[in-house]
Amino acid sequence: MRVEEFVTKPEIVNEHEMVFSRSGSKLKTKWRCTSGTRRGRVVGNAKDCDAPIDQRKRAQMKVTRKTKSKVAARKAKKTKRVNPASRLLGMLNKLRKGSVSAGGKVQKAYKPPKTNLKGTVGTRKTVKPRK
């Protein structure tokens, strides 16, 4: 059996898409699974999207996440804010992902970072008191 037998229009069947990932302070290309047992997960090799999941490791990871989630979230938040590789990583992944408009043109999802201009004229807002 072939895919053409089930699909009426010529559609592209994508099981994974390339993304950038951080390993220490270096950036690497990895794959995000869009189908299979590891859907939504980032893996190092595209073949791993259909690999069976080890249930023992899965159960252990649930326990680890439950106990260490607050510490890990705090560390990740700091790393994403401070590490230059993490800041570059977000920009690269936004640039890679383009959104298609109604006209068919690909629009870039990247928006330049907001600048914090303190002390400029006209930036002061009036705050209404609560009732």
Side-chain angles (χ1 to χ4, degrees), residues 20-89:
F20 287 98
S21 176
R22 188 178 58 82
S23 179
S25 61
K26 296 180 181 180
L27 297 179
K28 293 186 176 184
T29 53
K30 292 190 179 181
W31 302 94
R32 176 172 283 117
C33 302
T34 55
S35 65
T37 55
R38 298 169 192 261
R39 186 174 182 207
R41 198 175 296 186
V42 177
V43 292
N45 193 354
K47 294 178 190 175
D48 294 338
C49 290
D50 291 326
I53 294 174
D54 188 350
Q55 295 299 323
R56 182 180 290 167
K57 288 181 184 177
R58 185 182 194 181
Q60 182 61 47
M61 193 61 193
K62 280 186 179 181
V63 174
T64 304
R65 271 200 214 105
K66 210 171 199 179
T67 57
K68 306 278 186 184
S69 62
K70 290 181 181 178
V71 176
R74 193 178 300 127
K75 284 185 177 182
K77 190 176 178 182
K78 183 182 178 187
T79 301
K80 288 174 187 176
R81 188 178 67 240
V82 174
N83 192 345
S86 296
R87 300 178 85 173
L88 180 63
L89 176 73

Side-chain angles (χ1 to χ4, degrees), residues 17-20 31 91-98 108:
E17 60 183 12
M18 194 178 82
V19 293
F20 287 98
W31 302 94
M91 285 190 240
L92 286 173
N93 280 331
K94 282 181 186 176
L95 280 172
R96 276 207 42 48
K97 187 174 186 174
K108 299 294 181 185

